[in-house]
Amino acid sequence: MSDAPTRYRSADEDSARWLGFPFRPGDIVISTRSKSGTTWMQMICALLVLRTPELPAPLIELSPWLDWLVEPQERVYARLAAQRHRRFIKTHTPLDGVPGDPRVHYVVVARHPLDTAVSLHHQGANLDRARLAELTGRSVPPGPEGPRQPVERALVRWIDADPDPSAELDSLPGVMWHLRDAWARRHLPNVHLVHYDDLQADLSGQMRRLAERLDLEPPGPDLVAAATFARMRARADRLAPDSAGVLKDRHAFFRSGRSGQGSALLDDETRARYHSRVAALAPPDLLAWLHRAEA
């Protein structure tokens, strides 16, 4: 959202695809870290905009992932240009990598980083990496995938790793980079922060609050019911972000959705090390908001 957006690139994403994108007044950009509530917020926006629990097309078609290299940019732009309803667009790019437009709403979902890390670990086992490499023009990894480490060990390594956050956005420094940037913009009238735990605790209230912020009609009970985890998991074939066939199991994409699972996997010493690390990565008020379920 800066005058000169930061460019974020990975093997399958490039935020430069936002440059030159023709926004419309009222567009909604959903900016979250991976496995932090992206698909949930896309579904909520689809229900609030389209006003029906029976979506007219798969969610990934209604709400394209603009900076995903699997689909050619011109095809994504054309699909969005053809949409007549209010558009809601997915990205994993932090807000400083997306062009800012006062006519556009930017929604950021924050999830406890430890829960995000657990979901990322399980999501890694559900990705067809050979298919993903094929779609992005990279060489297919040779041989079968090696054995995966237990989630407990992976979580500890994730906490202790210290990569460049702008290069590895799904790392702990990267997650906090994304959230810290959004937190600094929360005073803007078109930037809306939503806590994953609030969606779990009061989905109806959070949908009404978001509808008000987005100048949309409040949802009825049928729309709220369609946004529950159980209903979304039951409709994984149409809701999972898998238009290119990179998921081994679409239902496994909606694995659990629970909060608190990451912290429960840690002993006291490692949990304290986690809190020491994030204290160096984000301001106290953001951490108090992010971790309030632990208070």
Side-chain angles (χ1 to χ4, degrees), residues 23 28 32 38 74 87 95 105 120 143 151 164-165 183 186 218-219 221 229 247 256-257 271 279:
F23 283 115
I28 302 166
T32 72
T38 316
E74 59 273 15
R87 303 182 301 185
L95 294 185
H105 290 267
L120 281 168
V151 62
D164 176 355
W183 186 255
R186 69 191 187 282
F229 184 84
L247 296 179
S256 169
R271 196 177 297 111

Side-chain angles (χ1 to χ4, degrees), residues 104-183:
V104 173
H105 290 267
Y106 301 84
V107 180
V108 178
V109 183
R111 188 182 188 190
H112 195 301
L114 294 176
D115 293 330
T116 294
V118 171
S119 291
L120 281 168
H121 176 79
H122 291 291
Q123 173 73 349
N126 194 34
L127 290 176
D128 184 337
R129 298 190 182 278
R131 173 65 174 158
L132 190 56
E134 174 189 342
L135 290 166
T136 53
R138 293 177 287 123
S139 58
V140 177
E145 295 182 22
R148 292 174 56 78
Q149 60 184 329
V151 62
E152 295 86 356
R153 188 180 306 166
L155 187 57
V156 171
R157 292 186 63 182
W158 188 82
I159 291 169
D160 292 337
D162 192 27
D164 176 355
S166 65
E168 295 190 31
L169 284 167
D170 284 335
S171 65
L172 177 56
V175 168
M176 300 314 300
W177 174 288
H178 193 143
L179 295 181
R180 188 175 66 241
D181 175 71
W183 186 255

Side-chain angles (χ1 to χ4, degrees), residues 44-108:
I44 289 170
C45 289
L47 294 165
L48 293 176
V49 168
L50 301 174
R51 315 303 303 176
T52 174
E54 301 299 329
L55 300 185
L59 184 59
I60 191 65
E61 294 181 14
L62 296 168
S63 180
W65 182 357
L66 190 145
D67 31 17
W68 197 34
L69 298 175
V70 163
E71 186 173 10
Q73 176 177 317
E74 59 273 15
R75 188 185 304 166
V76 179
Y77 272 39
R79 180 140 44 89
L80 286 165
Q83 291 184 349
R84 301 273 67 87
H85 60 74
R86 189 169 172 183
R87 303 182 301 185
F88 41 102
I89 309 163
K90 165 184 174 176
T91 185
H92 289 315
T93 297
L95 294 185
D96 70 343
V98 180
D101 189 318
R103 307 169 303 162
V104 173
H105 290 267
Y106 301 84
V107 180
V108 178

